[in-house]
């Protein structure tokens, strides 16, 4: 259950960051509200996951899911540049996330 909460926390973080982009400096109400809701949910699920998962592992995975998810969605939703270097680096983040899970 704690690992599921951690993954949900990371996914909600990605949703929050995407809505932060869509909020355009907090000038658009709906994405601004969604940003706040998603980030609150992200912190809630992160806090629940840290009941059982060590903070060194939990925080690393949470930020890794958020970072890699944001990079990938930025490329696909916002047409940000895609190149082999960026994809290799994101793969490295994902490899690190999986490795952290395996050692815990």
């Amino acid at each position: 259950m704690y690992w599921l909460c951690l993954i949900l926390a990371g996914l909600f973080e990605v949703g929050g960051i995407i809505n932060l982009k869509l909020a355009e400096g907090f000038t658009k109400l709906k994405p601004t509200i969604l940003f706040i809701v998603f980030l609150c949910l992200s912190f809630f699920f992160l806090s629940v996951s840290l009941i059982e998962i060590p903070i060194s592992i939990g925080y690393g995975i949470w930020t890794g899911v958020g970072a890699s998810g944001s990079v990938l969605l930025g490329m696909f939703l916002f047409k940000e540049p895609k190149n082999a270097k960026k994809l290799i680096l994101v793969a490295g983040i994902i490899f690190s996330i999986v490795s952290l899970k395996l050692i815990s």
Side-chain angles (χ1 to χ4, degrees):
M1 177 183 137
Y2 296 106
W3 285 101
L4 176 62
C5 287
L6 184 57
I7 297 303
L8 284 173
L11 294 175
F12 279 121
E13 180 187 10
V14 173
I17 297 307
I18 296 303
N19 279 285
L20 180 62
K21 168 76 170 164
L22 295 172
E24 296 180 10
F26 300 116
T27 60
K28 301 205 174 192
L29 183 61
K30 184 177 177 182
T32 298
I33 292 170
L34 287 172
F35 163 73
I36 294 166
V37 169
F38 281 139
L39 263 289
C40 287
L41 287 168
S42 178
F43 279 111
F44 169 76
F45 282 109
L46 177 62
S47 70
V48 170
S49 72
L50 294 179
I51 292 170
E52 184 67 26
I53 299 169
I55 193 167
S56 58
I57 302 294
Y59 184 73
I61 290 174
W62 178 68
T63 57
V65 169
S68 58
S70 297
V71 169
L72 293 173
L73 284 178
M75 288 190 290
F76 294 105
L77 295 178
F78 302 113
K79 309 298 185 218
E80 294 176 1
K82 301 175 192 118
N83 59 55
K85 290 178 187 176
K86 190 183 280 188
L87 293 174
I88 289 168
L89 292 170
V90 169
I93 294 171
I94 294 168
F95 174 78
S96 298
I97 292 168
V98 172
S99 297
L100 281 171
K101 166 64 173 113
L102 293 175
I103 66 167
S104 63

